[in-house]
Amino acid sequence: AVREATTGESDITAEVLRKSDRPVTIYMVIPFDSIEKYSNLITLIFDCLSLGLQKNIPLKTDHKVTFIIDEFPALGKVDKLVTLPATSR
């Protein structure tokens, strides 16, 4: 019931981030004491979005996508972060 209430009416894809009519901002607010518990889920979301962004070369009309992650060290190792800058220019 909680999952359906929070995700039942929206999908977030790399295409939505790049090609929407206007820029999109996504805020994920997770209490600091719960970051470790949700770190795998946060990393999965980051990996899926970054993979989707890498699949297609952006057009000049596409929005630029920037990830700003506060408390990033608390997530632990994020393997995709190592290759993302070199492969997503």
Side-chain angles (χ1 to χ4, degrees):
V2 172
R3 183 185 57 83
E4 290 176 17
T6 57
T7 63
E9 296 184 23
S10 64
D11 291 328
I12 300 167
T13 64
E15 185 174 353
V16 167
L17 295 177
R18 274 216 177 120
K19 300 187 181 295
S20 66
D21 294 339
R22 57 192 172 94
V24 176
T25 302
I26 300 169
Y27 293 96
M28 292 177 59
V29 180
I30 300 168
F32 186 76
D33 60 340
S34 297
I35 290 177
E36 186 176 331
K37 179 172 36 174
Y38 292 109
S39 66
N40 288 338
L41 177 62
I42 297 165
T43 301
L44 177 64
I45 292 169
F46 178 77
D47 284 350
C48 289
L49 287 174
S50 60
L51 182 63
L53 291 168
Q54 290 175 318
K55 282 185 178 181
N56 299 308
I57 297 172
L59 304 173
K60 289 188 177 199
T61 56
D62 290 350
H63 297 293
K64 292 182 180 182
V65 177
T66 303
F67 292 100
I68 300 173
I69 304 172
D70 191 19
E71 304 299 341
F72 192 76
L75 293 177
K77 185 177 180 184
V78 181
D79 293 326
K80 188 59 120 178
L81 185 64
V82 174
T83 59
L84 187 60
T87 59
S88 63
R89 295 181 196 180

